[in-house]
Amino acid sequence: MLALLFWTGAALAQDTSGTDAAVSLSAASAELKRLFDEDQAERAPVPGKATDWGTVMLRDEARQQRVKDLIASGNLSTGTDYYHAAMVMQHASEPDDYLLAHDLCVVAISKGETRAKWLAAASLDRFLVSIGRPQRFGTQFRSNHPSRPPALRPVDPNVPDQLRRELNVPTLAQARARELQMAKDARGDKPVGSATK
């Protein structure tokens, strides 16, 4: 009888600890969603208001540190958790953080989170550009001067468009067309036949 009471008590303790772990993972998922939403809101342009990128960078760093803390404590569970963490990390400023974002995307995809496909390509491209190598997928555009439009960073010509399509990335021709459009927009070019005021 005493053994039965001991076993029942141990089982109840295990059930409670499992519930605590589930609550902890649920809370972590909610926090990752909040961090993701804040990250995205920082990047949504507000008409007529310039973005203070210095302030955004400071908030980015705080969010990135919190994501790293959640990763270190083993609190990521779902594909969505990994995707949210990856999005925050890919806005970092260090190559290792871009690589971490890529790794998080790989796990997210393996858990069924298809939104992480494009981000897997973009975070790998960002990593490669940051270490001075050509990007693979053509997701990264940068300007060397505030008055110049962003230009497509060098792209490895050996990566086929089939891989881009599988990762929900525009073809290389589409990326080059986007680069041309950004240059036209920066110059203020009007489409042929458009009215001028």
Side-chain angles (χ1 to χ4, degrees):
M1 181 70 165
L2 185 57
L4 179 62
L5 288 174
F6 176 76
W7 180 82
T8 304
L12 288 174
Q14 288 173 348
D15 287 345
T16 302
S17 112
T19 302
D20 290 346
V23 170
S24 175
L25 290 175
S26 175
S29 291
E31 184 173 5
L32 285 162
K33 171 75 165 90
R34 180 184 57 77
L35 294 168
F36 169 84
D37 289 343
E38 289 173 1
D39 173 87
Q40 294 300 286
E42 298 268 25
R43 285 150 178 84
V46 177
K49 184 178 178 187
T51 302
D52 178 357
W53 288 108
T55 301
V56 169
M57 237 168 117
L58 291 174
R59 289 193 291 254
D60 279 348
E61 288 172 4
R63 281 188 291 270
Q64 291 151 14
Q65 185 54 57
R66 184 60 188 143
V67 165
K68 287 178 181 178
D69 292 344
L70 289 167
I71 293 167
S73 63
N75 281 317
L76 278 67
S77 175
T78 67
T80 301
D81 289 348
Y82 282 90
Y83 170 71
H84 288 156
M87 184 64 78
V88 171
M89 293 311 302
Q90 71 102 23
H91 287 136
S93 57
E94 296 297 322
D96 285 344
D97 291 333
Y98 306 143
L99 202 52
L100 174 58
H102 176 73
D103 294 344
L104 293 166
C105 285
V106 171
V107 175
I109 294 165
S110 76
K111 289 178 169 278
E113 180 54 76
T114 59
R115 292 179 297 171
K117 287 182 175 185
W118 177 87
L119 189 55
S123 55
L124 181 59
D125 278 354
R126 190 166 284 195
F127 168 74
L128 291 168
V129 168
S130 74
I131 63 169
R133 297 205 26 212
Q135 59 182 318
R136 294 182 56 75
F137 299 100
T139 63
Q140 301 300 297
F141 297 78
R142 295 223 179 119
S143 176
N144 294 330
H145 193 275
S147 66
R148 294 192 186 116
L152 183 64
R153 305 307 293 171
V155 180
D156 181 343
N158 298 311
V159 176
D161 280 339
Q162 178 62 34
L163 287 181
R164 291 183 181 90
R165 283 189 288 274
E166 291 293 335
L167 292 171
N168 300 330
V169 174
T171 66
L172 191 51
Q174 290 169 323
R176 289 191 172 123
R178 180 177 177 212
E179 178 183 38
L180 290 173
Q181 187 59 52
M182 286 190 289
K184 286 180 184 178
D185 292 346
R187 289 192 309 263
D189 291 357
K190 302 257 186 232
V192 176
S194 68
T196 56
K197 294 183 180 183

